[in-house]
Amino acid sequence: MSLRKPPSYSFNYQPRDLDNSELLDLYRSMLKPRLIEEKMLILLRQGKISKWFSGIGQEAISVGVTKALTPDEYILPMHRNLGVFTSRNIPLHRLFSQWQGKGGGFTKGRDRSFHFGTQEYKIIGMISHLGPQMGVADGIALAHKIRNENKVTAVFTGEGGTSEGDFHEALNIAAVWDLPVLFCIENNGYGLSTPVNEQYRCTHLADRGAGYGMEAHIIEGNNILEVYQKTCKIAESMRQNPRPVLLEFKTFRIRGHEEASGTKYVPEEIMNSWFKKDPIENYRDYLFEEGILTAQLQERYEQETKAEIEENLAKANAEEPAGFYETKELNDVFQDATNQNFNSSTIKEKLRFVDAVSQALRQSFQKHKNLILMGQDVAEYGGVFKITEGFADEFGKERIRNTPICESAVVGAAMGLSINGMKAIVEMQFADFVSSGFNPIVNYLAKVNYRWSQNADVVIRMPCGAGVGAGPFHSQTNEAWFIKTPGLKVIYPAFPYDAKGLLNAAVNDPNPVLFFEHKALYRSIRQDIPTDYYTVEIGKASIIREGENITVITYGAGVHWALEAIEELELEEIEVIDLRSLQPLDTETIFKSVRKTGKILVLTEDSLFGSIASEIAAQISERCFEYLDAPVFRVGSLETPIPFAPALEEGYLPKKLLKEKLLQLTEY
């Protein structure tokens, strides 16, 4: 009796329940990204593309996971997941244009490689900071779950990315909220040149799932049948029983982090062992031995794919390079936001600032059924300032969501909600804490519309400001961190009427908005305001006191300090501009007042260096110098962190200095 010859492949491809056409489709789907990559490496050496991150040897993961999902389920890939894009049948000429920085790509030449998304193909690309996309996947999955859509969202990261805080925050949120997110770790041995033994100490990254109460699996990432069949089974189970699952795919990066890096840091014996586990060569040998693939069919697949590559490459090559048009560049920073002005009725009631904010939120939730609020203690407790008290009972905890303490992932989830057709409000418990969510705000929300025309329909509420004895970590007014970031809108009202109208407008706006609410004004300022829904246009300042001699330009608590100082000093003809909106800034109103009075004082609660006061002073000096009768005066707080003790805080704030500067400017 003869013994069967040992297989020439490294993996166990049995058992299987796929027919021959499905088996061949998986092979051809892996072959396509491999042949594209081989072509791109040639073009890289010829200087026709600028950079390449190779996924050669990892095709089984990209293809297997993508094939296991339905075409209407979102995938968030990394830069080694070309197989995701090709398996979703994205036109190759658009991919090639993207890599060449041409206008026909997905980012109009504004970003490179796989840093893009496309709603048409339900692919949301990465940013270089890696981790934030994990939280974005949470938000996409949350939108599906709220709408009872029984869909899975898959997101990729490498073993290096699992060390980022965003990874842990996102897994924790997904576990707590039972979100159907498939977290896919491509454990490929190295983070650039750092081996896994210098990255983590657990035996397997899948072991981390237990720490979050999360189901986890280890999968042979170079075995296409294992990847595909196990992912199919897990994904279907997640659709029926929504929950997150962590998958660790064991694989290897056989080329450099990017081509310039090389692989000299990899021991030769390790590299050779993984060369033998090539997912395409092993699977091809298996198909040959089973009589499923023939030499003629193999030749046909290669020739047809190469012809498709050349045809689409020629189309991309013929395209003109992306051209610079300043107006177009500036116009694409924000999505068009039609000012939906809703006029108020004559029925009014006297409300505190805090009540105006609460009323705006309630009426926005009534108007927008797809609006979600996320933040620490915002549900039953009503937030630390009780602004959302009763909201959970009225709108349900699906829409009013308590979050773990993880600002970065929550901001990412808000971005994901926007991608999946929802609106999101994130409440920072205190504006100071936004530093923990800074990265996704300035690098994801702010840039996403400019990069690939995806809006970030997110409002971030920021209780801020000193004067309440809260010390260095609960008193900052940190608007200057954001006003210089293109793509963000920054609002800072001083009165209840404006707070309500501008917050409603911010929720309507499809762009990311930072909405600052001064804590010292919450319960100290009252105003008669309309009881029904209305909006105030973003980007328009308000002249709240007319005058001919001096213009005081300020916002937030500074408005009230200015009015108090003017009254106490019995000054006449002082014009006061309440900016209300810091980005966009109403320079037209500012310059008009400058031309009228000729003397300017810009007041901010922030310290002066790098503040909005400095920017306004610079613009006035540049644009209106010939109208000035004195230097532009700036008044701000002391250049220290914000102290706690009453005497220290009083000395820190610029109220006394404001009066001195007003008198000095009057006499100038």
Side-chain angles (χ1 to χ4, degrees):
M1 186 172 75
S2 62
L3 295 176
R4 181 175 177 177
K5 179 183 177 182
S8 59
Y9 44 87
S10 303
F11 305 116
N12 177 16
Y13 290 112
Q14 303 288 347
R16 60 177 175 81
D17 54 3
L18 305 176
D19 61 33
N20 288 355
S21 63
E22 292 173 301
L23 294 171
L24 290 171
D25 177 66
L26 290 173
Y27 172 70
R28 194 168 189 180
S29 295
M30 286 196 296
L31 181 65
K32 188 172 187 176
R34 173 67 64 87
L35 293 177
I36 291 173
E37 281 217 48
E38 290 175 352
K39 182 67 176 180
M40 292 304 115
L41 293 175
I42 294 172
L43 296 181
L44 181 69
R45 290 192 291 271
Q46 294 174 345
K48 295 181 179 178
I49 59 173
S50 63
K51 206 174 187 70
W52 190 257
F53 296 89
S54 178
I56 288 177
Q58 298 178 209
E59 294 91 349
I61 303 170
S62 299
V63 170
V65 171
T66 307
K67 292 284 188 179
L69 269 58
T70 61
D72 60 351
E73 292 179 321
Y74 281 93
I75 302 180
L76 291 83
M78 296 276 280
H79 46 313
R80 303 190 201 288
N81 297 124
L82 174 58
V84 171
F85 297 85
T86 55
S87 295
R88 282 280 165 96
N89 296 314
I90 287 182
L92 294 188
H93 69 88
R94 293 206 65 192
L95 282 178
F96 299 156
S97 292
Q98 172 68 22
W99 302 336
Q100 293 178 14
K102 293 187 173 179
F106 292 89
T107 63
K108 305 175 186 177
R110 294 166 180 163
D111 212 336
R112 64 183 184 183
S113 65
F114 297 103
H115 294 258
F116 70 90
T118 163
Q119 286 284 8
E120 182 179 0
Y121 297 96
K122 294 294 183 286
I123 294 175
I124 307 301
M126 59 176 290
I127 67 170
S128 292
H129 301 72
L130 308 182
Q133 71 178 24
M134 313 296 282
V136 174
D138 282 349
I140 293 172
L142 175 59
H144 284 315
K145 187 176 181 183
I146 289 173
R147 297 194 295 255
N148 297 312
E149 291 176 337
N150 297 323
K151 296 185 187 301
V152 172
T153 300
V155 59
F156 285 85
T157 191
E159 87 291 332
T162 66
S163 296
E164 291 189 291
D166 290 88
F167 172 82
H168 299 276
E169 291 187 12
L171 262 65
N172 191 48
I173 286 179
V176 171
W177 290 351
D178 290 318
L179 300 178
V181 180
L182 198 61
F183 292 99
C184 303
I185 304 171
E186 292 181 294
N187 191 341
N188 61 18
Y190 286 86
L192 208 157
S193 68
T194 306
V196 293
N197 66 298
E198 296 180 24
Q199 296 186 57
Y200 58 86
R201 276 291 178 263
C202 51
T203 304
H204 304 288
L205 289 171
D207 296 342
R208 292 182 175 177
Y212 302 101
M214 184 183 300
E215 177 184 337
H217 302 270
I218 297 173
I219 295 177
E220 174 50 68
N222 287 26
N223 182 340
I224 181 61
L225 293 190
E226 182 175 340
V227 172
Y228 174 64
Q229 291 182 292
K230 286 188 176 180
T231 306
C232 279
K233 183 178 180 181
I234 292 167
E236 183 55 33
S237 173
M238 292 168 64
R239 295 182 191 106
Q240 302 305 316
N241 176 25
R243 68 194 189 283
V245 175
L246 180 63
L247 300 182
E248 180 183 1
F249 295 98
K250 302 287 190 179
T251 185
F252 197 77
R253 174 165 55 76
I254 62 172
R255 300 193 70 86
H257 168 73
E258 40 81 34
E259 287 305 307
S261 302
T263 57
K264 290 183 179 180
Y265 47 82
V266 182
E268 186 176 355
E269 62 273 17
I270 293 178
M271 186 67 78
N272 290 337
S273 68
W274 280 98
F275 269 124
K276 296 176 183 178
K277 296 180 180 180
D278 183 286
I280 298 179
E281 291 185 4
N282 276 271
Y283 187 53
R284 182 184 61 214
D285 290 347
Y286 164 71
L287 294 178
F288 271 127
E289 290 191 14
E290 293 293 316
I292 299 169
L293 180 66
T294 65
Q296 293 80 5
L297 197 55
Q298 159 73 15
E299 179 68 16
R300 195 188 95 197
Y301 287 166
E302 287 202 16
Q303 293 305 317
E304 289 178 352
T305 304
K306 288 179 179 179
E308 182 186 4
I309 292 170
E310 293 299 332
E311 177 185 350
N312 283 272
L313 192 56
K315 189 180 295 187
N317 290 341
E319 187 182 342
E320 290 294 320
F324 175 75
Y325 302 95
E326 182 175 337
T327 300
K328 182 172 178 55
E329 293 298 293
L330 292 172
N331 286 346
D332 284 354
V333 172
F334 292 105
Q335 186 171 108
D336 288 340
T338 304
N339 283 308
Q340 300 178 357
N341 293 319
F342 293 87
N343 296 322
S344 54
S345 69
T346 56
I347 303 174
K348 297 182 178 181
E349 61 178 326
K350 187 176 290 292
L351 291 181
R352 300 174 300 176
F353 192 107
V354 68
D355 300 321
V357 172
S358 181
Q359 193 174 92
L361 288 172
R362 176 172 275 105
Q363 291 177 355
S364 285
F365 267 91
Q366 292 166 347
K367 177 179 173 61
H368 301 286
K369 304 304 181 185
N370 63 339
L371 178 60
I372 308 297
L373 170 68
M374 299 181 291
Q376 295 156 30
D377 307 297
V378 298
E380 293 90 344
Y381 190 71
V384 294
F385 300 103
K386 301 302 180 183
I387 288 176
T388 56
E389 192 168 22
F391 277 42
D393 291 335
E394 183 173 353
F395 302 109
K397 290 195 66 177
E398 284 288 278
R399 298 181 67 192
I400 312 298
R401 306 187 72 89
N402 284 335
T403 70
I405 300 176
C406 50
E407 286 82 2
S408 187
V410 172
V411 173
M415 181 70 243
L417 285 168
S418 179
I419 286 171
N420 205 359
M422 309 287 279
K423 287 178 172 288
I425 299 175
V426 175
E427 178 186 297
M428 293 292 159
Q429 199 168 69
F430 293 89
D432 313 67
F433 300 164
V434 76
S435 57
S436 295
F438 189 77
N439 178 33
I441 294 173
V442 301
N443 284 313
Y444 209 130
L445 271 63
K447 295 176 171 64
V448 67
N449 193 72
Y450 175 76
R451 288 171 54 239
W452 55 277
S453 303
Q454 169 63 53
N455 68 303
D457 202 337
V458 179
V459 176
I460 300 177
R461 292 184 42 242
M462 305 274 283
C464 66
V468 294
F473 302 114
H474 295 77
S475 305
Q476 293 178 88
T477 175
N478 44 14
E479 65 279 358
W481 296 359
F482 304 102
I483 55 174
K484 76 170 306 298
T485 302
L488 298 177
K489 296 187 178 183
V490 180
I491 297 172
Y492 204 141
F495 294 96
Y497 177 86
D498 292 332
K500 178 178 175 180
L502 285 167
L503 183 51
N504 283 332
V507 174
N508 290 340
D509 198 304
N511 299 288
V513 179
L514 280 294
F515 193 88
F516 286 82
E517 304 164 13
H518 201 291
K519 303 188 302 293
L521 303 182
Y522 269 159
R523 290 172 170 82
S524 65
I525 302 299
R526 289 171 168 79
Q527 189 179 27
D528 286 330
I529 70 171
T531 57
D532 60 348
Y533 181 91
Y534 67 92
T535 59
V536 172
E537 185 177 352
I538 295 172
K540 296 294 182 182
S542 173
I543 299 177
I544 59 175
R545 193 180 193 278
E546 298 274 357
E548 299 289 334
N549 294 339
I550 294 175
T551 299
V552 176
I553 304 168
T554 186
Y555 57 97
V559 175
H560 303 281
W561 300 344
L563 294 175
E564 291 167 7
I566 291 167
E567 183 178 354
E568 183 178 329
L569 298 172
E570 298 181 345
L571 298 176
E572 300 294 334
E573 296 298 326
I574 307 293
E575 185 149 295
V576 177
I577 297 177
D578 176 5
L579 293 173
R580 302 192 297 188
S581 173
L582 307 184
Q583 184 61 265
L585 184 67
D586 186 358
T587 54
E588 181 180 350
T589 296
I590 292 171
F591 296 155
K592 183 178 180 180
S593 183
V594 172
R595 290 190 289 267
K596 179 171 66 170
T597 68
K599 293 182 178 181
I600 311 300
L601 186 148
V602 190
L603 169 65
T604 178
E605 182 178 331
D606 194 7
S607 53
L608 283 180
F609 191 87
S611 67
I612 184 71
S614 298
E615 174 60 28
I616 292 172
Q619 290 202 33
I620 291 171
S621 297
E622 183 177 351
R623 300 281 297 276
C624 302
F625 180 78
E626 65 271 25
Y627 295 96
L628 294 176
D629 298 322
V632 178
F633 281 25
R634 298 176 301 139
V635 177
S637 294
L638 201 63
E639 297 285 341
T640 70
I642 304 167
F644 160 65
L648 298 181
E649 187 175 42
E650 183 180 354
Y652 165 84
L653 292 171
K655 292 183 181 181
K656 181 180 178 181
L657 180 61
L658 169 63
K659 296 173 187 176
E660 295 173 2
K661 289 290 187 179
L662 273 174
L663 291 174
Q664 183 180 348
L665 189 56
T666 301
E667 298 168 0
Y668 194 92

